[in-house]
Amino acid sequence: MYVGGYLGVLQDSEQQLAVSFMLVASRHPAEPEVLAIAPVLAAWSREHALRLQPFLDRYGKQQVAAPALHGVLFQGSPLGGRGLLRDLQDLSLLVNDVRLTWVMLSLAAKALRDVDLQDACRTLSEQTLRQLDWLKVHIEDGAPQALIAAP
């Protein structure tokens, strides 16, 4: 059974996502909404990682090769609208990875008839979807100007 492995991957990914939200906030200090909301979204991911611990204790944390997305993301200049757009796109890749892992664990929890894990997957993945929605709105708002404006 690899449930513990994917729980570990998800915990690591949520922690990585929290760090990434804070990185983007620090790279774009002139963006008031990013400065205000990124720490909230990072806190959600840190909380998700903590809430996974009882399930890791239950199923064990096997070593599974986690995707090392963070290492290839957030490259280049963060300046200006195009830099923000690129950073938001990178964040969305991380959030989508986390979202898919929640889906897989939810299906495993259902097969195992683990009601507690099912509830955690449902509740916490809803916040992950809200993170993704926030990113989508800001990408849609920023893309036209960032891609059309002269450098």
Side-chain angles (χ1 to χ4, degrees), residues 64-77:
V64 173
L69 293 175
H70 191 273
V72 297
L73 301 175
F74 308 106
Q75 304 296 317
S77 173

Side-chain angles (χ1 to χ4, degrees), residues 8-142:
V9 166
L10 183 56
Q11 187 178 55
D12 293 345
S13 295
E14 287 281 15
Q15 291 167 341
Q16 194 175 71
L17 185 55
V19 168
S20 298
F21 272 113
M22 296 309 297
L23 173 67
V24 171
S26 72
R27 287 170 58 126
H28 301 282
E31 298 292 331
E33 188 162 357
V34 173
L35 284 177
I37 301 300
V40 173
L41 302 180
W44 289 358
S45 287
R46 283 191 298 275
E47 177 65 22
H48 295 178
L50 291 172
R51 298 258 316 262
L52 287 168
Q53 193 57 53
F55 303 108
L56 283 162
D57 295 342
R58 181 182 305 167
Y59 291 104
K61 184 175 181 178
Q62 300 100 17
Q63 290 298 321
V64 173
L69 293 175
H70 191 273
V72 297
L73 301 175
F74 308 106
Q75 304 296 317
S77 173
L79 299 176
R82 285 185 300 279
L84 176 60
L85 187 63
R86 183 69 246 174
D87 282 350
L88 294 175
Q89 187 175 2
D90 287 351
L91 273 173
S92 72
L93 291 171
L94 292 174
V95 175
N96 273 302
D97 180 59
V98 166
R99 171 69 180 131
L100 290 174
T101 308
W102 278 117
V103 168
M104 290 185 284
L105 282 170
S106 178
L107 294 168
K110 185 175 181 181
L112 291 167
R113 294 182 174 88
D114 185 332
V115 176
D116 295 334
L117 183 55
Q118 287 178 58
D119 289 344
C121 288
R122 182 176 43 257
T123 301
L124 301 177
S125 69
E126 285 173 6
Q127 282 189 322
T128 302
L129 282 174
R130 289 175 62 196
Q131 289 172 324
L132 194 56
D133 288 344
W134 183 83
L135 288 165
K136 182 180 176 198
V137 165
H138 283 80
I139 289 169
E140 289 172 350
D141 286 348

